[in-house]
Amino acid sequence: MELSFQRRLEELEQDYTRTHKKQEENLEEIYFQNREFEKGLDDLADRLRYVTSRYDSEQMPPVGKGYSIISHAHEEGNYLVKQLTNELEEEMEHTTQAYDKERSRYEGDYLLAKKKEGEQL
């Protein structure tokens, strides 16, 4: 009985560890993609500055619109990252709570079985 309990507990812990690791990897991927997106926006702003620096001041196109679009993309990207990370963090918290609950149930079942076994002797 004790081996069965230990095996069930180990399987539960392995499942939790595997799930939690996958969730952490997903979170890291979100952060990585965000860094790449931010880098792309920075490069785009640099190119806009470079291109507009080559214009004569009288022929300068309206660069404010370009910067406005880049700024809006930046804000929207931050919003999406925040939304995704919040969802993933909630999922991670739910996974941890479910694991703790299941572990407590297993331990309770084990103690109850041990108590019944002791009464039978």
Side-chain angles (χ1 to χ4, degrees):
M1 177 180 84
E2 196 163 324
L3 288 176
S4 172
F5 167 74
Q6 254 183 331
R7 190 179 75 244
R8 285 176 35 198
L9 201 54
E10 286 173 3
E11 288 173 358
L12 177 67
E13 191 166 336
Q14 288 172 354
D15 287 345
Y16 168 74
T17 302
R18 191 173 24 256
T19 302
H20 193 73
K21 183 177 179 181
K22 181 67 175 164
Q23 290 168 331
E24 286 177 341
E25 288 171 357
N26 290 342
L27 195 57
E28 283 299 315
E29 180 65 21
I30 290 170
Y31 290 136
F32 174 77
Q33 292 296 330
N34 185 48
R35 284 189 300 272
E36 291 296 310
F37 181 70
E38 294 288 329
K39 183 179 173 189
L41 290 178
D42 288 343
D43 290 346
L44 191 58
D46 288 342
R47 279 188 270 161
L48 183 60
R49 272 190 294 278
Y50 173 75
V51 168
T52 57
S53 71
R54 300 182 63 107
Y55 277 88
D56 193 9
S57 61
E58 295 172 4
Q59 298 174 343
M60 178 78 75
V63 293
K65 181 72 172 170
Y67 287 122
S68 176
I69 291 170
I70 292 171
S71 177
H72 180 72
H74 173 75
E75 290 170 6
E76 193 170 325
N78 283 341
Y79 172 77
L80 290 173
V81 166
K82 185 175 181 180
Q83 186 179 15
L84 286 171
T85 56
N86 284 343
E87 289 174 8
L88 192 53
E89 286 170 353
E90 286 176 13
E91 184 181 320
M92 290 171 76
E93 186 177 321
H94 176 73
T95 300
T96 300
Q97 289 173 351
Y99 165 74
D100 290 342
K101 184 177 178 181
E102 194 69 15
R103 182 177 173 90
S104 293
R105 188 178 68 80
Y106 282 169
E107 289 171 349
D109 290 349
Y110 174 72
L111 292 175
L112 185 61
K114 195 83 157 156
K115 184 178 177 181
K116 284 183 182 179
E117 186 179 283
E119 290 174 0
Q120 289 179 352
L121 292 178

